[in-house]
Amino acid sequence: MRDWKETLNLPRTTFPMKANLPATEPARMARWDAMDLYGAIRRERHGRPRFVLHDGPPYANGQIHLGHALDKILKDFVVKSRSMAGFDAPYVPGWDCHGLPIELKVEKERGSDKSDASLLAFRRACREYAARFVSLQREDFKRLGVLGDWARPYLTMDFGYQAAIVRALGAFVERGLIYKGKKPVYWCLRDRTALAEAEVEYAPHQSPSIFVEFAAASDGAATLASRVPALADRALSTVIWTTTPWTIPANLAIAFHPDFTYAAYEVDGRAVILAERLAASVAAKTGRTLGPALASFPGSVLEGVAFRHPLYDRDSPGVLAEYVTLEQGTGAVHTAPGHGADDYRTGVKYGLDVYAPIGTNGRFLPEVGLVGGLPVFDANPVVVDALRTAGVLWGVETIDHSYPHCWRCHQPLIFLATSQWFIAMDALREPAATACADVTWTPAWGRERMQGMVSTRPDWCISRQRAWGVPIPAVTCRACGTSALTADIVERTARVFETAGADAWYEQDLSAFLPQGFRCPSCGGTDFDRERDIVDVWFDSGSSHEAVLAARPELAWPADLYLEGTDQYRGWFQSSLLVGLGTRGRAPYRGVLTHGFFIDEDGRKMSKSQGNTIAPQTLIAQHGADVLRLWVAMVDARDEMRISREILARTVEAYRKIRNTARYLLANLYDFDPTHDSVAFDALVEVDRFALARFARMATDVRQGYEAYDFQTVFQAINEFVTVDLSAFYLDVSKDRLYTFAATSPARRSAQTAQYLVADGLARLLAPILSVTADEIWDGLPGTREASVHLAEFPAVPDTWRDEAVEERWRRLLQIRTRVNAALETARQQKTIGNALSAHVRVAAGGADADLLARYADDLPMLFITSSVDVERSAGDDLTVDVTPAPGVKCARCWRYVGAVATDDDIEGLCERCVDAVGGLRAARI
């Protein structure tokens, strides 16, 4: 008998089953570069409504890590999905190029000589270092499949950007919000510079915990006795508790809460004052026995009572402060205005000196008794021993607690009062709250978090004692020491920086920056030194909306979206908000979207120091960027994320399913021309219209997911459609029509029409996530179309495709199909039948099911993939399925069992339908 295989319309395609993404992706990305795909998209979308995602600049130091990859991929999802939704969505990437990490790298190579001559060479070396890593990171980001204006990124070290930083600073100067003062700031002992709160991380630390007795001065005892007569003629003292013994030399006061109840307890003939509610815990921790309370009184009576410093010949007056708590300690708080934010504010209130006897090198000044010349933390045991010798140490122990550390060198920080430039926050708090209310935060809790942070933030320390950055354009009078920073100086400096860059501050004569005839505002002097501090790099990056959004014509101010990790509430989100308030009185973004961070299988945060990271370059080399991108879409990026070999294996499997389904769709379209062969929607076979209805529902969910930045929903909707609607049902039941019907038959063209529309729509919907694979699918589709899927838009879904009645009918048919499939499987296991085509199915049903099955009687063999189906109406509502071997003979071409097949030599073994399909043969004798 003849082999009829060559007469079948079997699938054929050049679209490879094996993706081989590590090899094919670079070739396609090179093609994108050659065709200037990003530029082509910009031209195609010109004049459309604009959507601007503003890129938060990664730091130009080292290779990109998995967090970088996550961030850039998410941004690419947003930009591509907005572009395919019909927006003009430019993407201008940027880099943060100034700052300490680059300085430290260059210092290792060159040394740390900072004379004027070497300073310029050092800054040039820093610029070269940053430029080198911009180039390296750019290639890594492009390899992720991210499209953008990579040829013209923004760099914080560009001359125009440096000028914009200075002008943003000038906006604060004009509003009178910048001042220079001595107040405590976070200070890194290793890097010898002030830090912003965003540069502080908290980590476990061991500190000595001490209880120290301060005796009342004679006049202090008299003052208190006049207020509390029961304490007359008594030796008085109080006890403080601290975990920073090294700050005891800087103690200038003791703080009490005005409303707490304090009591004086008999201890070895002295009246020792403690917060009443903490007295028992102090006794337990120190091993001291407290006698009866001699008197109790509110903390307010201790204001102005003088105590004697236990180690130095000076008084420490009693002061009142609301921040004193009853959670731990004694209720009497050791106060050193030069070493704490609360202490400083209390010191200002009471006119205390901002005393911080520590140099910028982290050592005590030589003239300080007991600890002069010692490094800060080395002073702890010296102070403890001195207190013990003086007989005032009630107790000492080592405690483990969370302590501020430098986020770069991970060393413990101190609070140190130094002369710094600050932005006054009080004028910005209320406007910040108003601005936050006008921003769409995703997740929504971002608004409350940002408002809370700004409401409690101390004045912003914007000066840094480093070399690589934008200098603060201020001058200091040599005659009186007054520092001056004026709007005129700022603007003249900005104009110089625009053409010569920030190096000009160190190269050009000071007269280039000063207005003609400029004099010291305090003494009228005309001889000045230039400021050496640079601007906080958070101010640098926070000014990006001024330097980029407001400067580039393809962008717009404010941005529609800022997207970064949740740590940027303390960092870029916040600094950008504050700069925006200073320059334009509002937030520079309409929306803020955040993502979480990586943890390993044990729940530990991924970091290089723990050795539990996975380099994105390694993942791409193994699996390809599209697999990594798919993983990003599969996880809930708003929360902590895990990644492992097992998780990636599941991602690879999901990718294969999508790819192979797309390949099968393309393979069925090898002879289909959408212009000439498409079937009108109303003429489509109903199961094809059902497939398009399911596609329409999925496409709506996907569009809504993209709109809401919910990429996990996007993946889930596509994956369910591919695996359930297509692979498990529609593609399976369409095979008979596609393979065995005449090539140009209306029924086959109907299936091809639906599958073409589905394949075309899937390529578009997948494009923001599987950027290379979707472009491959696009190339494999028949018909004339854009040169890349990324130039196209999301599929237009006609209302006619949405048919709930069809969906509901076929949903019930699929439920019945599940029952039939179970019966077929049982029959196979019992050897009653071989495969489904060798089966005859009898379905008995009543009520609505009987009506439904009768309506679709002709479609049931296709639905069940059997040779024949009988439907019987039963009295009840129960549905029963009976499977028997199909009667008749097997067609040699379609393998269905029929009543008879042709016997003529040229059509021997064919059923009537296949005789028609092989084309124009004479009527069969059957």
Side-chain angles (χ1 to χ4, degrees), residues 341-636:
D342 289 335
D343 302 44
Y344 170 79
R345 286 188 286 272
T346 298
V348 170
K349 176 182 176 182
Y350 285 94
L352 303 176
D353 183 22
V354 185
Y355 180 51
I358 296 171
T360 57
N361 61 356
R363 292 177 177 271
F364 279 89
L365 301 178
E367 62 269 22
V368 181
L370 292 176
V371 293
L374 288 178
V376 165
F377 295 117
D378 288 357
N380 276 332
V382 175
V383 170
V384 171
D385 287 345
L387 294 171
R388 184 180 288 111
T389 300
V392 295
L393 185 68
W394 273 40
V396 59
E397 63 179 346
T398 299
I399 65 167
D400 295 305
H401 62 146
S402 180
Y403 189 86
H405 287 66
C406 175
W407 74 332
R408 296 186 184 95
C409 67
H410 308 296
Q411 297 300 307
L413 303 173
I414 65 169
F415 258 110
L416 179 63
T418 59
S419 184
Q420 305 285 346
W421 289 95
F422 295 91
I423 292 177
M425 284 296 301
D426 285 345
L428 299 176
R429 299 188 203 283
E430 186 174 342
T434 301
C436 287
D438 293 333
V439 174
T440 301
W441 302 88
T442 308
W445 50 253
R447 171 184 171 182
E448 184 177 347
R449 182 172 183 179
M450 181 63 80
Q451 288 177 330
M453 286 183 168
V454 175
S455 69
T456 59
R457 175 177 181 151
D459 288 352
W460 184 359
C461 177
I462 59 168
S463 50
R464 296 292 181 271
Q465 293 66 50
R466 303 303 303 185
W468 176 227
V470 174
I472 295 175
V475 294
T476 302
C477 177
R478 288 183 176 176
C480 69
T482 298
S483 295
L485 178 60
T486 70
D488 285 344
I489 296 175
V490 167
E491 181 53 34
R492 289 175 67 90
T493 302
R495 287 199 295 266
V496 173
F497 285 5
E498 279 179 327
T499 58
D503 284 358
W505 183 253
Y506 308 97
E507 292 175 317
Q508 297 189 18
D509 190 83
L510 193 55
S511 61
F513 306 97
L514 298 180
Q516 190 172 4
F518 181 77
R519 290 180 174 274
C520 173
S522 295
C523 71
T526 58
D527 198 9
F528 301 94
D529 289 322
R530 69 191 78 207
E531 177 70 66
R532 293 289 175 171
D533 286 354
I534 63 169
V535 180
D536 174 18
V537 292
W538 286 109
F539 195 96
D540 281 19
S541 60
S543 302
S544 62
H545 55 86
E546 291 294 339
V548 184
L549 295 180
R552 296 185 64 148
E554 73 271 32
L555 304 178
W557 199 106
D560 292 286
L561 187 69
Y562 275 33
L563 193 170
E564 301 296 332
T566 52
D567 59 331
Q568 295 308 313
Y569 284 104
R570 301 172 62 223
W572 189 57
F573 296 156
Q574 188 174 150
S575 65
S576 298
L577 171 64
L578 296 178
V579 173
L581 292 173
T583 58
R584 299 175 186 244
R586 61 164 295 184
Y589 38 71
R590 294 189 178 93
V592 170
L593 173 65
T594 60
H595 59 76
F597 296 94
F598 289 99
I599 56 176
D600 62 18
E601 289 289 82
D602 297 323
R604 299 176 303 164
K605 183 178 179 180
M606 283 190 171
S607 67
K608 289 182 179 179
S609 60
Q610 294 200 52
N612 61 347
T613 59
I614 303 175
Q617 297 85 349
T618 300
L619 297 180
I620 291 170
Q622 292 174 343
H623 304 293
D626 266 9
V627 169
L628 181 57
R629 293 172 68 97
L630 184 61
W631 174 83
V632 173
M634 290 172 65
V635 299
D636 184 356

Side-chain angles (χ1 to χ4, degrees), residues 714-731:
V714 171
F715 164 74
Q716 290 170 347
I718 292 175
N719 188 60
E720 181 178 3
F721 176 72
V722 166
T723 56
V724 177
D725 292 315
L726 292 183
S727 296
F729 169 62
Y730 176 65
L731 298 183

